[in-house]
Amino acid sequence: MAAMGTHGTIVVSESFNPEADAKKLRAAMKGIGTNEGAIIEVLAHRTNAQRQLIKEAFKRSFGKNLVDELKSELSGNFEKVVLGLLMPSPVYDAYELKNAIKGAGTEEACLIEILASRSGEEIEAIKATYTKEYGRSLEEDICGDTSGMFQRVLVSLLTAGRDRGSFVNEAQALQDAKDIFEAGEAQWGTDEATFLTVLCVRNRNHLLRVFQEYKRISGRDIEESIKREMSGNLENIFLAIVSCIRKKPAFFAEQLYKSMKGAGTADSTLIRIMVSRAEVDMMYIKPEFAMLCGKSLHSYIKDDTSGDYRTILLELCGGGGK
């Protein structure tokens, strides 16, 4: 169980000893074969900050880079989870965004998921890390790979310009709701820029009030109007923003469900959410998932994955079948 005051399945290991953990990991990789169970036992039960100390202890004790050693021993999706766990959070997000926009095609779902769900402080850290790691501007790379209003929404989110306060201006909330209604349902065509101005800039409490007023004015939830008025990536990003404003764990629960429903598994999404949220709000995501699917996240992962990959994901889920 998570400790009081935390919402993740991974909590601080009280008996933490980075040198001892480094030795365990070294022993797991020595000789013929690899003891994946020992790697899971250590890395899936330490916080991100503790894993960074293990990396330092490993280099100090053995003169080798832990990440390089693991890369040479592991493969496939299990390797992707392990390497993700060893990256500091902004490094991992920057890495995922880089992978989403490099090469042929763009994985828009990754751009949407990360930029719609991270706080202003987190986005500032991701941008700085991206430039440090890759010597490039995240905004320029995203602009080089996207276009139109979808690109404008991404750029707006990248400015981290959302009001970080909690004050609700009642008159402004009513006006925002009217503006969105008049930009969409009340006219032929849709003025998407108005949606951008309100959804990407106002604070969470204010937007929750706007959504209430919008339903009163239009008779519809704002999500329904977005689906009626827009399509493709623009529809997806506005829906993601609204979902994250309403209840972020429910947003991640839905993304996890989409990654595993039907034939095949969208492993990149499954891995990214399990790695990035295990220490943040996984304890809230799990009940949202169960409400959405009528089945536990643990059982979905168990049915959809296999081997060491399954084992480490189940540990990040909190083990135990709950």
Side-chain angles (χ1 to χ4, degrees):
M1 285 292 291
M4 287 293 287
T6 68
H7 315 304
T9 47
I10 295 179
V11 295
V12 172
S13 171
E14 298 298 345
S15 58
F16 177 58
N17 181 331
E19 278 72 25
D21 283 346
K23 283 178 185 170
K24 276 185 198 169
L25 292 171
R26 174 71 173 148
M29 294 184 281
K30 274 180 77 176
I32 298 167
T34 306
N35 183 351
E36 287 88 355
I39 293 170
I40 294 168
E41 187 186 330
V42 173
L43 297 181
H45 298 96
R46 305 292 182 269
T47 63
N48 196 290
Q50 289 177 328
R51 289 183 218 117
Q52 304 316 310
L53 295 175
I54 294 169
K55 279 159 63 176
E56 291 172 16
F58 193 93
K59 187 173 280 188
R60 197 164 50 240
S61 298
F62 306 111
K64 291 188 171 187
N65 183 302
L66 176 58
V67 171
D68 291 343
E69 293 294 292
L70 287 164
K71 277 182 182 175
S72 70
E73 296 283 334
L74 309 178
S75 62
N77 288 324
F78 178 61
E79 177 190 4
K80 289 175 186 173
V81 176
V82 169
L83 297 184
L85 289 171
L86 285 166
M87 295 181 200
S89 297
V91 174
Y92 184 59
D93 281 345
Y95 171 80
E96 286 291 299
L97 290 168
K98 179 68 173 168
N99 281 343
I101 53 185
K102 76 176 185 184
T106 304
E107 194 194 335
E108 289 89 353
C110 174
L111 304 185
I112 292 169
E113 177 202 307
I114 292 176
L115 296 180
S117 68
R118 302 310 191 251
S119 69
E121 292 88 346
E122 287 169 331
I123 287 173
E124 295 287 6
I126 291 165
K127 288 194 296 184
T129 301
Y130 192 94
T131 301
K132 183 182 172 188
E133 293 284 319
Y134 306 112
R136 303 171 65 90
S137 154
L138 177 56
E139 182 181 327
E140 285 178 14
D141 279 359
I142 284 177
C143 285
D145 251 46
T146 57
S147 61
M149 185 55 68
F150 176 57
Q151 179 192 92
R152 287 172 61 183
V153 176
L154 291 171
V155 169
S156 177
L157 293 174
L158 275 172
T159 65
R162 184 181 302 287
D163 172 16
R164 298 178 196 184
S166 57
F167 176 70
V168 178
N169 181 326
E170 286 290 336
Q172 185 65 56
L174 179 57
Q175 188 61 51
D176 285 343
K178 282 181 179 172
D179 288 347
I180 291 176
F181 178 65
E182 286 166 8
E185 295 280 4
Q187 65 171 25
W188 285 102
T190 308
D191 176 13
E192 295 102 343
T194 301
F195 282 77
L196 184 160
T197 301
V198 175
L199 294 178
C200 295
V201 177
R202 308 289 191 254
N203 72 57
R204 179 174 183 265
N205 287 352
H206 183 92
L207 282 174
L208 291 174
R209 189 74 188 90
V210 171
F211 300 162
Q212 286 178 334
E213 282 297 325
Y214 184 85
K215 183 159 189 179
R216 187 182 65 77
I217 293 167
S218 69
R220 291 192 177 94
D221 284 328
I222 192 164
E223 292 94 331
E224 194 182 338
S225 291
I226 290 169
K227 288 174 185 174
R228 285 162 56 94
E229 296 291 320
M230 300 173 202
S231 61
N233 290 320
L234 188 61
E235 175 189 344
N236 292 338
I237 197 164
F238 279 136
L239 288 175
I241 291 167
V242 171
S243 181
C244 287
I245 290 292
R246 284 200 194 274
K247 194 187 270 189
K248 205 173 285 185
F251 168 73
F252 286 114
E254 185 180 1
Q255 301 315 303
L256 284 168
Y257 172 62
K258 285 178 180 175
S259 77
M260 292 184 281
K261 72 173 184 177
T265 305
D267 292 294
S268 61
T269 300
L270 176 58
I271 292 168
R272 183 171 57 248
I273 295 175
M274 296 306 295
V275 167
S276 64
R277 309 312 293 187
E279 202 178 323
V280 181
D281 51 5
M282 190 58 68
M283 296 298 282
Y284 289 160
I285 291 170
K286 290 199 291 180
E288 292 292 339
F289 188 94
M291 277 194 289
L292 177 68
C293 308
K295 193 174 166 184
S296 73
L297 177 58
H298 186 281
S299 62
Y300 248 90
I301 291 170
K302 193 173 179 183
D303 291 346
D304 237 55
T305 58
S306 61
D308 298 312
Y309 175 46
R310 172 203 277 163
T311 304
I312 197 165
L313 288 181
L314 291 178
E315 290 303 311
L316 296 179
C317 183
K322 291 180 182 177

